[in-house]
Amino acid sequence: MADDGRADAPRRRGRPQRLPFDPTPFDAAELDPWPRVAWLLATTRLLGERRDDVAAPATRSAFVASLRERGIPADLTRMSRWESGQHPVPARVVLAYEAVLGLPSAGLLALVREVHRTSGRPGPPAVMVAPEEPDADGPDVETLLESALTAAEPVTGGDWLRLGLGLTRFTSVFLPRAVWSVLCARLLGEIARTSGLDQLRRYEAAVLLIQHPHGQAPMVRALGEWLMRNDVQVVTPMLALLQEIDVDAANGLMLRLLDADVAAIRDHTLGVAAVKLARGHVDAATVASLERHGVRHIGDAHHPLRVQHGLDVAAHLPSDAFESVVQAVPDRLVRSRAELAREHGELLPAKLGRALARAVSLRAQRPFLSAGGESDRMLTHLVHELLCHVHEPRRTTAGHLLAASPYRRALETALLSIADDDRDLVAQRAWDALRTLGHTAHPAVVADRAAAERRPRVAVAALAALRCSPRPLGTVQANALVRVVREHAEPASETVAHAVTALALRAPETLPRLLDHGSGPAHLGLTRAVRWWREVGSMLVDDDAER
């Protein structure tokens, strides 16, 4: 691969830079985060598209000089170690990479923090908790706090994350309870209306608040108030905040939500429980409760999401509890899937999963490979995790890394090519991967395909993916989704819920049409959903987001 940011650049003399690889086994409970961080930095610098208004350095020496201009003590040796995973990368260096490459503010930093959170290692290293000093190029904490509380327009995800990082520099943050409430509620409301990197930056800010000694209680209160709102339509990733803290209040709320009246809350709370199991947050009584929920969900063939979360829980139960779950399931295929998930961390048969990952990654990297160039092994590994890993944080983090990489658009195309696979499970996994990755390269094609999908379980996954694009829906695609809502107007329909969410976020002008026809319980539920979305608002897109 040529070292000037273009896939078709002439080969330079000397050895091309070899991209880093994480050799951690697929089913390992812990992974080394630094090779993944290094891969993201290296591929972004070498292969990433350049904004017209940003003159990014073409060589490593020039890049080092640009880092020095920003006060980073960089040289070729240090840069080589950062981009090979041999050395931790300080937060201020990550921010400097963003500045030099013209990337969204605090976007790389949000990804680096996420990689550490989901690595399975206890706590992020001190170097990544916050920049070692206030960001000289950005507003101060007081200005950011005032904007977050009073600005007429939402602040950007980058500013939210910078505010969270700024607050971590203070052991004590004394704000009136009403101020904390407004701050946390506004952040959760913006998380509900964003996708991709815009949402991740806000989520990382929420993690910082819920882990802060003075921010934890108000954020848990705001989270509980959000989830208990009448007719709440968005519960993820808010629920995931419970897995970021190991306190009685969060664990108790999780147990109550496992039996909530709203199916979406129950289903996604099971995923939170799997993470808490993996992180050792639960006691013996909670394990017994999760054992019962695992038995109930892993055999629910009509709800793939419940099966996924049920398998994730089962994979992390103690051995005796897992055996009880497996023995209680009469379906041999379901038992096999549970054993596969526990022993190998796979949602798909290992041979099939590896083959799909190779096919998708080879297609995605084809535009970047020069003659005789080496294939990107980390890309294949991350695609495998995105498609097949049983643990949701591993799938999500892999998807976010891939979405931030230069391969994203090619990956969208490759995943779309298997989304119509005759095997329902393969098609579901492809659509779920597109939901995590996001999609901006073919928005009309994605919407057309999702609205036309007639396999019920695949249709749910396809429609769920539609909320994850910052682009408005075209008229044709919006009309198709309106028809989907009318054709599936039964109470508590997942199909309808996902279609309404996509319309509310990406075509809010169509919402009144959903209420033109119908009556009875289904129409009442639809009316409540539309009213909720009108209060919350449509898709929020940051100024520095890629569209």
Side-chain angles (χ1 to χ4, degrees):
M1 294 181 179
D3 189 15
D4 70 347
R6 294 183 292 116
D8 57 349
R11 184 181 296 276
R12 299 181 183 278
R13 291 184 178 180
R15 186 177 63 185
Q17 179 170 339
R18 176 172 292 179
L19 294 176
F21 176 68
D22 177 15
T24 306
F26 188 82
D27 59 347
E30 295 184 9
L31 55 83
D32 183 354
W34 292 116
R36 295 171 184 240
V37 172
W39 177 85
L40 181 61
L41 297 180
T43 56
T44 302
R45 182 180 66 82
L46 291 167
L47 305 175
E49 295 181 6
R50 302 292 182 243
R51 278 174 26 193
D52 293 338
D53 60 336
V54 176
T59 66
R60 278 179 283 188
S61 296
F63 196 88
V64 166
S66 295
L67 293 178
R68 287 176 177 167
E69 290 174 3
R70 286 162 174 78
I72 303 299
D75 53 46
L76 288 174
T77 300
R78 286 183 182 178
M79 182 176 166
S80 176
R81 289 171 178 167
W82 290 332
E83 293 190 3
S84 64
Q86 297 178 45
H87 275 191
V89 187
R92 60 197 298 257
V93 174
V94 177
L95 292 172
Y97 264 75
E98 294 174 0
V100 174
L101 296 174
L103 299 174
S105 170
L108 283 181
L109 188 60
L111 287 156
V112 172
R113 290 187 57 82
E114 182 185 29
V115 171
H116 281 280
R117 278 195 301 100
T118 60
S119 68
R121 296 187 172 185
V127 72
M128 284 312 306
V129 170
E132 297 83 345
E133 57 195 39
D135 182 10
D137 297 327
D140 57 32
V141 174
E142 291 79 6
T143 300
L144 290 168
L145 182 59
E146 183 178 1
S147 296
L149 291 169
T150 64
E153 296 296 325
V155 299
T156 67
D159 282 344
W160 273 113
L161 182 50
R162 288 173 185 272
L163 172 59
L165 290 166
L167 292 176
T168 64
R169 282 193 287 270
F170 303 98
T171 304
S172 298
V173 179
F174 297 106
L175 296 173
R177 177 168 175 165
V179 172
W180 274 118
S181 296
V182 171
L183 186 70
C184 295
R186 184 165 189 176
L187 180 54
L188 291 178
E190 291 189 18
I191 288 173
R193 299 170 54 204
T194 47
S195 66
L197 190 60
D198 292 350
Q199 187 179 79
L200 177 62
R201 291 185 290 185
R202 288 169 171 82
Y203 181 81
E204 289 298 323
V207 171
L208 287 162
L209 291 184
I210 205 168
Q211 292 179 341
H212 192 280
H214 287 249
Q216 186 171 105
M219 181 55 84
V220 171
R221 279 197 304 270
L223 181 59
E225 291 169 1
W226 177 275
L227 295 172
M228 294 301 108
R229 290 176 68 176
N230 290 333
D231 310 309
V232 62
Q233 300 295 303
V234 179
V235 299
T236 178
M238 291 79 169
L239 275 169
L241 289 170
L242 293 176
Q243 69 201 27
E244 306 301 341
I245 51 175
D246 182 15
V247 297
D248 291 342
N251 296 340
L253 180 57
M254 178 196 75
L255 286 174
R256 292 194 298 275
L257 294 176
L258 283 170
D259 294 311
D261 294 334
V262 180
I265 292 179
R266 294 196 304 270
D267 295 346
H268 287 287
T269 302
L270 196 63
V272 172
V275 178
K276 283 188 162 292
L277 266 174
R279 295 178 179 177
H281 291 185
V282 300
D283 57 21
T286 304
V287 168
S289 176
L290 295 180
E291 180 183 332
R292 293 192 297 274
H293 284 282
V295 171
R296 184 192 312 170
H297 289 299
I298 65 171
D300 191 344
H302 298 292
H303 296 90
L305 180 64
R306 293 176 192 171
V307 173
Q308 275 182 201
H309 290 325
L311 290 172
D312 200 357
V313 166
H316 292 93
L317 286 171
S319 298
D320 55 345
F322 174 76
E323 291 300 325
S324 297
V325 169
V326 171
Q327 291 172 11
V329 175
D331 190 312
R332 179 178 58 82
L333 291 178
V334 174
R335 291 199 301 271
S336 296
R337 285 196 71 189
E339 290 165 353
L340 178 69
R342 185 176 180 83
E343 294 173 11
H344 303 289
E346 297 267 12
L347 284 172
L348 294 176
K351 187 175 180 180
L352 172 60
R354 287 194 296 267
L356 288 172
R358 282 195 301 269
V360 169
S361 60
L362 284 174
R363 181 168 179 174
Q365 66 186 300
R366 194 176 299 149
F368 299 93
L369 279 175
S370 57
E374 292 184 358
S375 63
D376 188 339
R377 294 191 298 156
M378 183 76 88
L379 171 64
T380 304
H381 189 73
L382 291 172
V383 171
H384 189 192
E385 286 190 354
L386 171 63
L387 283 169
C388 303
H389 207 285
V390 69
H391 201 38
E392 184 173 33
R394 290 282 286 275
R395 294 195 307 272
T396 301
T397 302
H400 289 165
L401 285 171
L402 293 168
S405 78
Y407 299 115
R408 180 176 62 83
R409 291 179 180 271
L411 282 169
E412 289 180 37
T413 303
L415 288 169
L416 269 175
S417 70
I418 61 172
D420 59 357
D421 194 279
D422 292 338
R423 295 161 292 188
D424 284 11
L425 186 56
V426 172
Q428 289 168 24
R429 295 304 316 131
W431 280 112
D432 190 61
L434 277 167
R435 177 186 59 80
T436 306
L437 185 75
H439 43 88
T440 58
H442 313 286
V445 175
V446 172
D448 288 340
R449 294 268 295 275
E453 179 60 64
R454 289 295 176 261
R455 292 172 289 180
R457 285 173 289 183
V458 179
V460 169
L463 292 167
L466 285 189
R467 78 158 331 270
C468 301
S469 173
R471 296 188 176 184
L473 285 168
T475 301
V476 172
Q477 289 73 37
N479 289 339
L481 287 182
V482 170
R483 288 193 295 272
V484 168
V485 172
R486 290 174 177 170
E487 292 169 1
H488 297 81
E490 66 266 12
S493 167
E494 289 180 277
T495 301
V496 169
H498 291 311
V500 171
T501 295
L503 289 169
L505 289 171
R506 301 176 59 195
E509 70 281 359
T510 64
L511 291 180
R513 293 171 51 199
L514 300 180
L515 307 180
D516 288 346
H517 302 86
S519 61
H523 189 264
L524 179 59
L526 193 57
T527 301
R528 289 173 173 170
V530 169
R531 183 172 60 233
W532 188 91
W533 275 114
R534 284 174 170 169
E535 293 174 358
V536 171
S538 58
M539 181 69 78
L540 174 62
V541 181
D542 287 340
D543 293 339
D544 59 359
E546 183 178 359
R547 292 164 175 78

